[in-house]
Amino acid sequence: MEKHIRLPLTQEDIGGLRAGDYVYLTGELYTARDAAHKRMAETLCAGGTLPFEIAGQTIYYMGPSPARQGHVIGSAGPTTASRMDKYTPRLLDLGMKGMVGKGRRSPEVIAAMRRNQAVYFAAVGGAGALLSKCIKKAETVAYEDLGTEAVRRLVVEEFPVIVVIDAEGTDLYGNLSG
Amino acid sequence: MIREISVKTLAEAVCELCIQANHFLSPDMRNALARAAGQETSPLASRILGQLEENLQIAAEESIPICQDTGMAVVFLKIGQDVHFFDGDLTEAVNDGVRRGYTEGFLRKSVVGDPLLRQNTGDNTPAILHCSIVPGNQVEITVAPKGFGSENMSRIFMLKPADGTEGVKEAIVQTVAEAGPNACPPLVVGVGIGGTFEKAALLAKEALTRETGAPSELPHVCALEAELLERINALQIGPAGLGGNATALAVHINTYATHIAGLPLAVNLCCHVNRHASRVL
């Protein structure tokens, strides 16, 4: 089923999404990948607060290539989500509602998604030039020293993704391989 | 007759090849993707292959890297034994070419200087440099930027002689099945069989730079490539791992002599952005 959804995700949106739905996202996404996740986890362990309010937000696992002059961003496709699995349940328990990446997730992440009613989307890996055209704004909001791994706030329009794991825990990859 | 080549010429070539490889997929890969699109029957898989084709067009026309993971720069040099390099250090020249290519080409800097301390070097150096000495007075340079989505799903197996060809087939198919969606299929599967632990890995990496779909010259290896391609595509992992016929575009197998006690096997997976650009000096 094809859907157009505004970010941040509402509980109603999440409840209506099913694994296999083709979705166009419009609104704000935050980027974070390996190094930013490690730093956020360390901050939380030390009793600190995250550099942005994660409750209700969607994280895009992505580190862009540099923008040429006149461009908002460089190539900007998804990275492998499973590398963030170690850190993800805690972020879901803090209220994160959506994730965009590629590849499988761990049983712990899927359990945390069900517990917190969140959704995992895949964008097409290796289509970074195409996906960059849907990104209308990009600004660094934290960890600038991490370069491509800094946390960015993006504004996207009609950003194409596929629901891989829905809030009931149905896993499109799992169904395909089984 | 000794031929003199300045390492600055080499650095310039490496710089240009880094930029070229990350913006323009080679014709053999583009043709393989187009063939896969023609044979795809699942509507979602066809849609994804269509996006990949559009992505290549945007990358080339607007000078945006095909993928944001512009890779670690793997550089192969086949150096004619009658060549003498002057003007500086060969390895530093290759790194200088990578540094300039990744900076001037707006490519992502994805390299950390120490695998445990993990500080980004800021210029994508050092390169992974493989040199071999060959007859003649030319230098063949191949730059193959390697993304890590697929690198992370690659495997080495130290099989036993008793495992035989069947064991080799099982291990290769198992590697692709376990990689599933993570390695960004449709894949090119680079395989090295034989040699030692490190030789098998290098054979597999070199296999990825072969013209996509060109068969091995050895009849028994060529047959093995064809059989494995069929078995891998029967997995129906499909483009982006969302189901479909195109799980792999090609299986390339390179072999080498090995020890009576061993059957080393390396499987180096590459995503559909299998980048390689070459030039002869």
Side-chain angles (χ1 to χ4, degrees), chain A residues 22 63 75 77 104 130 133, chain B residues 51 55 62 65 68 108 178:
Chain A
Y22 202 96
S75 196
R104 300 189 186 106
L130 174 78
K133 307 300 281 180
Chain B
Q51 285 188 358
N55 184 63
E62 302 194 31
Q68 76 290 338
R108 198 177 77 178
E178 283 174 7

Side-chain angles (χ1 to χ4, degrees), chain A residues 8-24:
Chain A
L9 295 165
T10 65
Q11 215 53 61
E12 198 186 339
D13 293 331
I14 293 167
L17 289 171
R18 290 287 169 269
D21 285 349
Y22 202 96
V23 181
Y24 293 92

Side-chain angles (χ1 to χ4, degrees), chain B residues 12-13 48 69 78 112 118 150 161 186 196 201 210 214 217 223 228 236 252 277-278:
Chain B
E12 184 61 32
I48 288 163
D69 185 355
K78 285 186 187 164
V112 293
R118 307 200 71 80
S150 52
T196 46
R210 195 196 293 172
E217 289 171 5
L228 281 165
Q236 291 284 306
H252 295 164
S278 298

Side-chain angles (χ1 to χ4, degrees), chain B:
Chain B
M1 187 71 179
I2 298 296
R3 181 169 164 230
E4 301 278 337
I5 296 180
S6 167
V7 295
K8 289 178 178 154
T9 310
L10 177 67
E12 184 61 32
V14 168
C15 167
E16 289 170 14
L17 290 169
C18 287
I19 296 172
Q20 180 191 326
N22 275 298
H23 290 89
F24 306 97
L25 201 59
S26 53
D28 56 318
M29 277 300 297
R30 288 205 307 272
N31 292 340
L33 278 165
R35 267 199 309 277
Q39 291 163 7
E40 196 53 77
T41 47
S42 140
L44 179 57
S46 297
R47 186 172 189 172
I48 288 163
L49 290 172
Q51 285 188 358
L52 296 183
E53 194 186 341
E54 196 186 340
N55 184 63
L56 291 177
Q57 205 173 330
I58 293 170
E61 283 171 6
E62 302 194 31
S63 290
I64 301 170
I66 301 163
C67 177
Q68 76 290 338
D69 185 355
T70 51
M72 197 162 187
V74 179
V75 179
F76 292 95
L77 294 182
K78 285 186 187 164
I79 302 167
Q81 64 189 28
D82 297 330
V83 168
H84 172 242
F85 287 108
F86 69 102
D87 255 352
D89 180 302
L90 175 85
T91 304
E92 274 178 29
V94 169
N95 284 330
D96 186 48
V98 169
R99 182 179 297 116
R100 282 173 40 214
Y102 275 73
T103 307
E104 292 167 20
F106 290 83
L107 305 177
R108 198 177 77 178
K109 320 310 182 281
S110 311
V111 173
V112 293
D114 181 294
L116 301 176
L117 303 177
R118 307 200 71 80
Q119 184 80 29
N120 196 304
T121 61
D123 59 12
N124 222 54
T125 66
I128 304 292
L129 178 57
H130 300 291
C131 294
S132 54
I133 306 293
V134 297
N137 64 359
Q138 293 183 321
V139 178
E140 186 187 323
I141 311 163
T142 299
V143 175
K146 186 63 171 73
F148 259 58
S150 52
E151 197 73 355
N152 278 340
M153 304 312 291
S154 300
R155 296 288 179 266
I156 286 191
F157 303 85
M158 297 306 283
L159 300 177
K160 297 173 193 68
D163 293 322
T165 307
E166 279 312 308
V168 166
K169 290 181 201 168
E170 286 307 315
I172 294 167
V173 174
Q174 177 202 329
T175 300
V176 173
E178 283 174 7
N182 293 26
C184 288
L187 309 171
V188 176
V189 182
V191 177
I193 309 175
T196 46
F197 184 81
E198 86 288 1
K199 178 69 177 178
L202 185 56
L203 289 170
K205 182 71 76 193
E206 284 168 341
L208 291 174
T209 66
R210 195 196 293 172
E211 184 183 326
T212 308
S216 165
E217 289 171 5
L218 302 172
H220 68 295
V221 176
C222 172
L224 189 58
E225 289 173 341
E227 183 188 336
L228 281 165
L229 182 61
E230 205 174 306
R231 279 184 63 180
I232 287 168
N233 284 331
L235 293 171
Q236 291 284 306
I237 293 167
L242 295 167
N245 300 328
T247 302
L249 301 170
V251 178
H252 295 164
I253 301 176
N254 285 352
T255 58
Y256 195 78
T258 192
H259 190 279
I260 50 172
L263 179 48
L265 167 68
V267 186
N268 196 189
L269 300 182
C270 191
C271 60
H272 54 80
V273 192
N274 180 23
R275 293 160 287 202
H276 45 93
S278 298
R279 185 182 296 179
V280 175
L281 295 181

